[in-house]
Amino acid sequence: MTSHQNTQTMKPATAAKKLGVYLEATPAEFQEGVVSRAELTALQADPPQWLQDLRLNGPHPRPVVASKLGVSIAGLARGGVTDALTTEQIEAIKAEQPEWLQKERTTQAEVRKETVRIKARDAERAAKSQDQRS
């Protein structure tokens, strides 16, 4: 019995997410087809010009926008940002420093601090538990 290997493919939306680009801004042939794992790897290793341009100038998907602004995706929504933004639009928001952005950055910093504190607490508890077993 011989086994043949099926090529794993993904929907364009999944591939765009893995590439960190906004699907609607990709070329039509990318949006309409399927992407194999090998094609995705090739796009990541040697991005074509359209992919380089999208990564540089956008429009960027919400996770990328949130990251560039230093806030959460929920923070973007609370700030009224629901669409993909270009790099130029993101830079304009950074320069303007609206109140919602300042508030969300503060919230994000507090969340990160709390995450670090919880990790340290859990590591300490794990170490105590390990010592008690020994």
Side-chain angles (χ1 to χ4, degrees):
M1 195 187 280
T2 61
S3 66
H4 70 55
Q5 193 172 16
N6 287 338
T7 304
Q8 288 186 331
T9 59
M10 61 191 82
K11 294 178 183 176
T14 304
K17 186 175 182 179
K18 289 180 181 285
L19 292 169
V21 296
Y22 186 58
L23 177 63
E24 286 76 14
T26 60
E29 59 270 10
F30 181 85
Q31 293 180 36
E32 295 164 2
V34 293
V35 180
S36 71
R37 294 241 180 238
E39 290 169 333
L40 179 68
T41 302
L43 286 170
Q44 290 170 325
D46 186 24
Q49 190 61 47
W50 65 264
L51 182 54
Q52 292 176 36
D53 291 343
L54 274 178
R55 286 178 170 167
L56 183 63
N57 303 316
H60 302 287
R62 285 182 308 156
V64 174
V65 173
S67 175
K68 287 179 179 277
L69 289 174
V71 300
S72 67
I73 295 172
L76 279 180
R78 285 189 294 270
V81 178
T82 57
D83 297 328
L85 299 178
T86 63
T87 300
E88 187 177 304
Q89 291 169 314
I90 293 168
E91 293 303 320
I93 292 172
K94 283 181 180 178
E96 185 182 310
Q97 285 288 314
E99 186 178 326
W100 71 264
L101 180 61
Q102 295 171 30
K103 181 181 176 193
E104 291 301 332
R105 282 182 168 173
T106 301
T107 300
Q108 188 74 352
E110 290 170 1
V111 167
R112 286 186 181 125
K113 245 190 263 183
E114 181 66 6
T115 300
V116 168
R117 186 192 69 77
I118 289 171
K119 280 186 180 181
R121 181 200 68 194
D122 291 349
E124 186 179 318
R125 286 180 179 172
K128 284 182 182 178
S129 177
Q130 186 66 27
D131 287 347
Q132 288 176 352
R133 289 185 202 148
S134 298

